[in-house]
Amino acid sequence: MSLLKKEDNQIYKAILNETKRENNNIELIASENFVSEAVLEAQGSVLTNKYAEGYPKARWYNGCEYVDDVEAIAIERAKKLFGAEHVNVQPHAGTPANFAVYLAVADLLKERGYSSGRYTVLAMDLACGGHLSHGNPHNFSGRFYDIVPYGVSHTTETLDYDQIGELAKKHKPKMILAGASAYPRAIDFKKFRAIADSVGAFLFVDIAHIAGLIAAGLHQNPIEYAEFVTSTTHKTLRGPRGGFIMCRKEFAKKIDMEVFPGLQGGPLMHVIAAKAVCFKEALKPEFKKYQAQILKNCKALSQEMAILGYRIVAGGTDTHLFLVDLTKKNITGKAAATALDKTGITVNKNLIPYDTQSPFVASGIRIGTPAITTRGMEEPQMKKIARLIDKVLSDPDSQKNIQEVRKKVTSLVREFPLYKGLIRRLEK
């Protein structure tokens, strides 16, 4: 019998139910993925017991010789994977990793004679695909910094680098932030570097969503262009929930001080071990094939949705995700996501560029292919999924439709099982 089942049946049931949900549903949320059982094992290890404030060979507590090894391995693997000069793997998530960069730049500006800790940042508008930590007024970024948002072209719905350059010249930001959470096209970091240089700004790139694509050489790597690069490990990189920071050697001490003791105390050593495992997995040749299939699947799914009459934002995708504009389908993003969820198809509502709906309702949905690619699905399954989505959205109030699609979803996922061994072990 599972020890957890014996000791805490309520939590055991919740975990078992979530494991089954992940196995039985078609997961299309672009920021979610399924880790390997090796990553799960590392994250569920005894390393959770060890308090390790500080950094390898410079801890506050004794008894850190083995967790030092874990963190050093994680750092070296991340350096090799991305070609970074310095890596900090301690951030608990992507947003605190971003906060550390904001704070580091504030200190660097003070050293250069800029007295205020508050400064101007040029960052992507959340409504056009940015992230909360890129300037949302309720987030630390919008509360403590002067954010000047840039959007996308009204006609192409892609980044207009000339317009971004004009905004930079007008507002003279101290830092420019590139990266997104809902932008389907490739980002040109070389152009961002030129814009930053034109106004003497630091360039900070958030690659949380596209880290796996970059690691596989399928998207431009910002390391050679940006002073600071942050990421999470749990999206295309297919690792545990957590963040990390990469920077040039000259900023290493500053970044490390901002993470600890600036923002965090003891690092989560069990999570860092899981990060190390995911970095090793990402260094394997098959990871590149996996990332390439993510792109193929995303293009196939978006193209099939377009054939079925849906408008795809920005005309398509270069990445692991795309946005569907539902305005002409007379259904909101919220209603669409709710209806699809009833059938076992999981997406999220999402603003489209210059949306007239509130973020809580939205006019679109965001669809991503990392998780279904992890299961082994390929282009033929993308066509099936597109048709299932269309069947639901063509009549979202039809219980008959929902029941029929649920059966087809169940049939499809059975062909591509997930965590079956884990489910069997939990059920013992």
Side-chain angles (χ1 to χ4, degrees), residues 94 180 206-212 230-237:
D206 181 345
I207 62 169
H209 264 270
I210 55 175
T230 63
S231 183
T232 55
T233 44
H234 55 273
K235 299 182 178 77
T236 51
L237 207 50

Side-chain angles (χ1 to χ4, degrees), residues 345-363:
I345 299 173
T346 314
V347 303
N348 66 271
K349 62 181 178 294
N350 213 95
L351 294 172
I352 61 171
Y354 308 106
D355 207 328
T356 56
Q357 297 278 8
S358 82
F360 302 101
V361 177
S363 295

Side-chain angles (χ1 to χ4, degrees), residues 365-387:
I365 53 175
R366 184 182 66 165
I367 294 177
T369 54
I372 53 175
T373 307
T374 295
R375 297 184 77 136
M377 295 186 188
E378 296 183 349
E379 291 93 329
Q381 287 75 44
M382 299 307 107
K383 291 185 178 182
K384 291 181 180 179
I385 291 170
R387 292 179 193 129

